[in-house]
Amino acid sequence: MKIGDALSDWLQMPAGMPQGSHLGPLTFIILIGALQPGCLTHKYVDDTTMTEFLSRSAVSSMQSLVNELDHQAADTGMIVNGRKTKEMLIGLVLKDPPPSVSLSSAPVDRITVFKLLGVHVASDLKWSHHVDVITSKVAARLHLLKQL
């Protein structure tokens, strides 16, 4: 970069792509396509959702799947953001739920509602939280219209 007469030094990038480059989206698609943790996985832009179906007597293997995903991400030069990683148990409440998942030795937050592609999904699969959020937005916008 040059500002006035000052010229900055070159900097080596160990991973990543300059923002705004033409090859950035294609490179990201290739990198995220390499993440195959061994369970049902949904990927959208920079979000990855891993799903495991369990019967009442089954033992969860989600911890090993998360470890595998984290290892695959590290191999491609990507970092899984532990602060944005969440765990949600969907369906019937079990007497003995599976142990919480950890990522790089840090516990992952277990939540009951999660916003996925604009839809608030609740662990009990009821729509009440999503409807409450939408009606709250509508009420706020109607209030603004009344003020006009």
Side-chain angles (χ1 to χ4, degrees):
M1 176 189 281
K2 183 177 180 181
I3 299 176
D5 292 331
L7 186 64
S8 65
D9 294 331
W10 286 94
L11 179 65
Q12 189 81 22
M13 287 181 34
M17 181 71 60
Q19 187 172 2
S21 73
H22 294 291
L23 291 177
L26 178 62
T27 304
F28 183 76
I29 289 170
I30 292 168
L31 289 174
I32 201 162
L35 301 180
Q36 302 293 329
C39 65
L40 179 62
T41 306
H42 302 283
K43 302 171 192 172
Y44 183 76
V45 187
D46 63 348
D47 288 334
T48 301
T49 303
M50 297 170 40
T51 306
E52 178 184 41
F53 294 98
L54 293 176
S55 63
R56 289 182 187 257
S57 60
V59 176
S60 174
S61 59
M62 187 54 74
Q63 182 61 60
S64 63
L65 295 168
V66 167
N67 293 343
E68 183 181 349
L69 179 79
D70 192 35
H71 180 72
Q72 290 175 2
D75 286 347
T76 59
M78 294 190 299
I79 299 170
V80 179
N81 189 339
R83 293 179 311 228
K84 292 184 178 180
T85 303
K86 306 294 182 214
E87 176 188 28
M88 184 165 71
L89 304 177
I90 297 177
L92 299 174
V93 177
L94 303 173
K95 290 180 184 177
D96 295 321
S100 293
V101 174
S102 62
L103 178 65
S104 302
S105 302
V108 171
D109 293 336
R110 186 172 279 175
I111 57 174
T112 57
V113 177
F114 185 70
K115 186 176 178 184
L116 181 65
L117 300 177
V119 177
H120 296 273
V121 180
S123 60
D124 59 3
L125 295 179
K126 294 185 179 177
W127 288 96
S128 57
H129 182 79
H130 182 72
V131 170
D132 290 345
V133 169
I134 297 298
T135 54
S136 175
K137 285 182 180 179
V138 168
R141 291 176 183 163
L142 283 174
H143 176 72
L144 287 174
L145 286 173
K146 285 181 184 179
Q147 297 299 318
L148 292 174

